[in-house]
Amino acid sequence: MSVINYAKRTIDFKIVYYGPGLAGKTANLQYVHRCLPHANKGRMISLATGDDRTIYFDFLPVSALTVRGFETRFQLYTVPGQVQYDMTRRLVLRGADGLVFVADSQFERLRENVESLRNLETNLREYECTLDEIPHVLQYNKRDLPNVAPVEYLEFVLNRRARRVPFVEAAALEGEGVFDTLNTVSRMALASEFGSERRGHDEAS
Amino acid sequence: MKLRDTVILEQDAERIHQVLMRFLSDSGAGEALVIDRGGQLLAMDGGGQALDAVSISALAAAAFSSTAAMAQLLGETEFTVLFHEGAKRSIHVSRVEEEAILLAVFDERTTVGMVRVFAKEASRAVGAVLGEARARPRPAGEFAAPLNAAESGPAWTPPY
Ligand SMILES: Nc1nc2c(ncn2[C@@H]2O[C@H](COP(=O)(O)OP(=O)(O)O)[C@@H](O)[C@H]2O)c(=O)[nH]1
Ligand SMILES: [Mg+2]
């Protein structure tokens, strides 16, 4: 969960990229890492197998604007998408302040997307949390491929909360939509710390 | 369990700083990091050598969580300590409370036994500060008013 530090004047957020294996989660972080100037990023760590499949997580710390005197910083994580790594997925999810669900837009991957989204909701329960409580966005990735489902169809299948969440069309390998996605989720996470949307506001007042 | 945000006020940071300085001098360790179980760095002291504290925090929290999961598979409630011995520098990680860990980096000038003993004491003291911080209502101050349009623009602007 977010850490507000008055001594250092920083706010830290944890953002987790979730989704089925090969959807492009790692590609998102790699693109962000490639683009940001050194002043705004730390080291990218990938705990991956020899063939580049994420085995535990990727990690990339990035920093952004200063808001009301606090420097905002975001720690980006990806989870391993393969079904058998459910335990590590759950561990990475711990303390997430924002989520990006990276869906693979290809028709033949629809089922994996649905299953992964369901798995996300199950794993959030471990932390007594639901998708409605965590700022999140959907990213429909691989729009550059020919065999993709129409966005309306993906929306119908995946964006089913009572309150629809923002979605971004992306081609993460080329970087399209990557910063749109990151800006959207980070802004949502940041906004949730301020005003009446503030998490824990009720208990605190 | 339900996780909560952490708000560290200046006086919390100062108290933790005192505890960590005491821990470093008692134990002979070189650096001490307080890290939340989600991987965020909460406090750090020492630092003769520059550490990539942000990366270490993410990795240490992950390592601690995966050993905790291993413990569960073995029917233990949790392994409470992690110890990695290097040729020059070693790492000792112990539990502060449910939501945080204390990581100490040390070398041949001290022993894991010394670090362990004093880490226990320091963990209790840091845990007390964090407990108070989490129990306190969130300070309104800068956070009372919603973000205005200027403050909620995109954080990073392409062209990238
Ligand atoms: N055509 C295309 N391929 C992509 C895109 N994003 C990722 N990939 C490819 O899909 C594969 C899996 O990507 P990766 O980021 O490792 O997926 P992850 O398992 O979700 O981390 C890799 O071969 C990527 O190059 C995209 O937007 N378009
Ligand atoms: Mg990956």
Side-chain angles (χ1 to χ4, degrees):
Chain A
M1 306 304 296
S2 68
V3 178
I4 299 175
N5 190 322
Y6 277 84
K8 291 193 296 177
R9 307 296 289 184
T10 52
I11 316 180
D12 282 295
F13 296 94
K14 177 172 181 173
I15 307 289
V16 177
Y17 286 67
Y18 210 92
L22 300 178
K25 302 176 291 296
T26 298
N28 268 271
L29 261 60
Q30 285 169 337
Y31 186 77
V32 171
H33 183 252
R34 211 159 47 234
C35 293
L36 285 185
H38 278 285
N40 289 330
K41 71 182 174 195
R43 191 195 306 260
M44 176 158 172
I45 292 171
S46 289
L47 302 181
T49 59
D51 55 351
D52 278 346
R53 302 294 303 272
T54 307
I55 191 167
Y56 200 161
F57 56 81
D58 304 297
F59 172 70
L60 174 64
V62 297
S63 62
L65 312 163
T66 296
V67 175
R68 298 197 191 148
F70 287 82
E71 184 192 4
T72 61
R73 306 187 300 191
F74 297 84
Q75 333 283 351
L76 313 182
Y77 288 78
T78 70
V79 299
Q82 298 94 300
V83 176
Q84 68 270 29
Y85 292 144
D86 197 39
M87 176 90 86
T88 50
R89 257 197 305 282
R90 200 155 58 223
L91 297 181
V92 174
L93 213 44
R94 184 187 193 107
D97 300 293
L99 296 168
V100 174
F101 185 85
V102 181
D104 190 326
S105 298
Q106 298 175 91
F107 261 117
E108 64 267 28
R109 301 299 309 272
L110 277 178
R111 227 185 89 174
E112 278 101 322
N113 292 326
V114 172
E115 279 164 7
S116 175
L117 189 57
R118 205 172 291 150
N119 172 256
L120 169 58
E121 299 190 75
T122 307
N123 281 337
L124 282 176
R125 259 177 249 143
E126 175 90 359
Y127 304 109
E128 291 171 34
C129 187
T130 69
L131 263 182
D132 292 317
E133 298 168 277
I134 298 199
H136 68 284
V137 306
L138 294 170
Q139 181 186 76
Y140 301 134
N141 192 31
K142 304 201 181 181
R143 299 311 296 174
D144 56 307
L145 294 179
N147 53 333
V148 295
V151 167
E152 302 74 45
Y153 191 59
L154 291 165
E155 277 286 282
F156 176 73
V157 175
L158 298 172
N159 206 349
R160 305 193 62 90
R161 319 293 308 172
R163 189 153 49 134
R164 299 263 296 272
V165 302
F167 72 89
V168 178
E169 292 183 62
L173 261 192
E174 298 145 34
E176 199 178 315
V178 168
F179 276 94
D180 254 358
T181 306
L182 180 56
N183 277 324
T184 306
V185 72
S186 58
R187 198 161 46 218
M188 288 164 78
L190 186 62
S192 74
E193 296 291 331
F194 292 86
S196 57
E197 276 192 67
R198 232 163 89 220
R199 264 190 312 251
H201 180 73
D202 297 340
E203 311 137 58
S205 54
Chain B
M1 91 267 27
K2 188 106 184 156
L3 300 181
R4 308 210 30 200
D5 295 345
T6 309
V7 178
I8 298 174
L9 300 180
E10 280 178 59
Q11 62 260 35
D12 303 326
E14 179 54 30
R15 281 171 69 194
I16 294 173
H17 171 64
Q18 294 303 333
V19 173
L20 295 185
M21 291 308 283
R22 173 95 199 264
F23 165 68
L24 291 175
S25 88
D26 287 346
S27 70
E31 286 99 5
L33 284 69
V34 180
I35 301 163
D36 93 3
R37 291 279 306 268
Q40 310 267 31
L41 179 66
L42 299 178
M44 173 176 179
D45 265 296
Q49 308 191 36
L51 285 185
D52 182 352
V54 174
S55 298
I56 289 181
S57 299
L59 291 167
F64 195 83
S65 286
S66 58
T67 50
M70 258 193 291
Q72 274 175 8
L73 295 177
L74 293 175
E76 294 284 333
T77 47
E78 199 155 280
F79 300 137
T80 47
V81 168
L82 253 183
F83 170 50
H84 298 292
E85 186 171 10
K88 291 212 185 68
R89 297 212 279 175
S90 300
I91 281 178
H92 181 276
V93 184
S94 55
R95 205 166 167 282
V96 167
E97 30 99 287
E98 190 60 45
E99 277 314 308
I101 55 181
L102 172 67
L103 181 147
V105 182
F106 62 98
D107 61 18
E108 77 290 340
R109 280 171 286 187
T110 183
T111 64
V112 62
M114 289 287 282
V115 172
R116 174 165 312 182
V117 169
F118 291 106
K120 249 189 204 148
E121 211 176 288
S123 293
R124 253 195 307 273
V126 172
V129 179
L130 292 179
E132 279 175 41
R134 294 209 176 90
R136 185 164 52 210
R138 294 186 56 153
E142 293 92 335
F143 297 93
L147 292 182
N148 60 40
E151 291 166 327
S152 48
W156 300 274
T157 31
Y160 290 131

